[in-house]
Amino acid sequence: MAAQEEINTWGSKSWTYVSSLRQQSPLIQCITNLVSMDLMANTLLAAGASPAMIHSILEIPDFTPHTQAVLINVGTLTPEWLPAMKAAGGLANQLGKPWVLDPAAVGASSFRLKACLELIELKPTVIRGNGSEIISLSMASIGSTKGADSLHESSDAVEAAKSLAKSSGAIVGVSGSVDFVTDGQRVVGAHNGLPMMQKITASGCAVTALIAAFVAIDPTRPFEATASAFSVFSLAGEIGMGLAKGPASLRMHLVDSLHGLDQETVLERVKITSFS
Ligand SMILES: Nc1ncnc2c1ncn2[C@@H]1O[C@H](COP(=O)(O)OP(=O)(O)O)[C@@H](O)[C@H]1O
Ligand SMILES: Cc1ncsc1CCOP(=O)(O)O
Ligand SMILES: [Mg+2]
């Protein structure tokens, strides 16, 4: 019974994010990898936010102050891009705006790991990665890697996520079959989704962008925003799969389903439970 009450509370919280996002349409600056730009922008638009893929260091002082949240994703990092990421993260921090870090493929090289550790010093509000990314970041080491894909279950990374949350001060989200969210003490898991979502490149990047949009709605509650965004995105995947034939059509139907989500469905199907 207690669990049922908890599910209902998360359903209504999640619906508040969905409906507020549609009403407020916050501007989200995305400095993201070259693979993810299209799906990320379309995910944000379908959910009601306004995405802007503006990443030149020359534009950050003018543009970043107009945004409601910043998303930084290192998926196709080069030395030329890093200064702009640091400038945007640093300015967001200075202006008291939320910013979200996606350490995509952080275990791929020491260059990427060092860059992510430097970005974490700029105090991201949320860090979202898959199991391997969160373990690599938390241990500050590179080991075996499969690039942007995970070698670990999300449940393998919960302790690493707690430790990273404590050391960084960020909310940490780990995606996978269950999406875990922690502030270092509390842990919740979002149970929506389906394995086929791993076959859509940039689905992880897109959910991180949705987290940034939800955090923009209420920057004082990043824990709630992160869990809700995970659940809502994965629920859109579940609904989209009803019409899809494979990853390519799932990508399209996921975006359509996110756009069409209604209150009854969110209240009934969002499934977030406590693990602590
Ligand atoms: N095995 C799974 N079962 C259900 N949902 C999943 C599964 N794997 C990934 N997802 C969902 O796919 C989305 C992207 O997560 P993931 O594939 O872990 O990210 P990344 O692309 O960064 O590795 C998340 O919304 C997550 O919930
Ligand atoms: C394939 C690939 N290579 C570098 S970034 C990227 C996209 C990864 O996106 P996601 O981690 O969301 O699947
Ligand atoms: Mg992926």
Side-chain angles (χ1 to χ4, degrees):
M1 193 61 203
Q4 190 59 47
E5 276 166 20
E6 181 185 46
I7 291 164
N8 289 338
T9 306
W10 278 106
S12 64
K13 276 183 197 140
S14 297
W15 175 250
T16 302
Y17 282 110
V18 172
S19 57
S20 304
L21 193 59
R22 290 172 182 173
Q23 279 160 19
Q24 295 176 28
S25 190
L27 175 59
I28 313 298
Q29 180 178 8
C30 304
I31 305 185
T32 191
N33 69 70
L34 301 166
V35 184
S36 69
M37 286 184 180
D38 178 275
L39 181 60
M40 185 179 287
N42 278 304
T43 297
L44 287 171
L45 283 170
S50 190
M53 277 50 189
I54 289 180
H55 59 249
S56 168
I57 194 163
L58 299 178
E59 295 180 283
I60 285 163
D62 288 339
F63 183 70
T64 303
H66 294 286
T67 66
Q68 276 74 57
V70 175
L71 171 287
I72 297 178
N73 177 311
V74 299
T76 50
L77 189 64
T78 69
E80 291 72 32
W81 278 53
L82 186 54
M85 293 178 178
K86 288 186 179 171
L91 184 54
N93 189 20
Q94 197 186 314
L95 297 172
K97 288 179 193 294
W99 79 272
V100 177
L101 175 65
D102 189 323
V106 61
S109 69
S110 339
F111 162 63
R112 207 176 274 249
L113 176 62
K114 183 168 175 284
C116 286
L117 294 174
E118 288 167 3
L119 286 165
I120 288 173
E121 282 171 24
L122 301 171
K123 295 279 163 213
T125 316
V126 180
I127 302 168
R128 190 302 305 176
N130 61 37
S132 293
E133 289 159 353
I134 295 303
I135 289 170
S136 240
L137 256 192
S138 178
M139 294 170 61
S141 74
I142 59 169
S144 358
T145 179
K146 212 175 166 200
D149 291 335
S150 188
L151 286 168
H152 298 86
E153 291 294 323
S154 52
S155 54
D156 298 337
V158 173
E159 287 311 312
K162 285 172 86 171
S163 158
L164 180 62
K166 282 182 196 149
S167 63
S168 65
I171 299 301
V172 176
V174 193
S175 59
S177 53
V178 177
D179 301 318
F180 293 97
V181 180
T182 182
D183 58 5
Q185 305 293 334
R186 294 175 290 169
V187 180
V188 295
H191 301 262
N192 298 94
L194 68 160
M196 179 82 79
M197 290 173 73
Q198 288 176 329
K199 299 293 180 196
I200 306 173
T201 191
S203 59
C205 307
V207 78
T208 311
L210 190 65
I211 290 170
F214 278 20
V215 174
I217 294 300
D218 181 0
T220 67
R221 289 191 168 77
F223 183 87
E224 286 76 4
T226 303
S228 298
F230 268 138
S231 201
V232 162
F233 184 78
S234 291
L235 173 57
E238 284 174 19
I239 297 167
M241 198 61 218
L243 293 164
K245 294 189 175 135
S249 47
L250 176 57
R251 183 186 194 275
M252 175 178 81
H253 290 300
L254 186 159
V255 173
D256 281 356
S257 301
L258 186 58
H259 182 258
L261 270 183
D262 60 44
Q263 182 172 15
E264 193 186 348
T265 308
V266 171
L267 292 183
E268 256 175 35
R269 293 184 57 178
V270 155
K271 191 171 176 213
I272 299 172
T273 62
S274 179
F275 281 80
S276 57

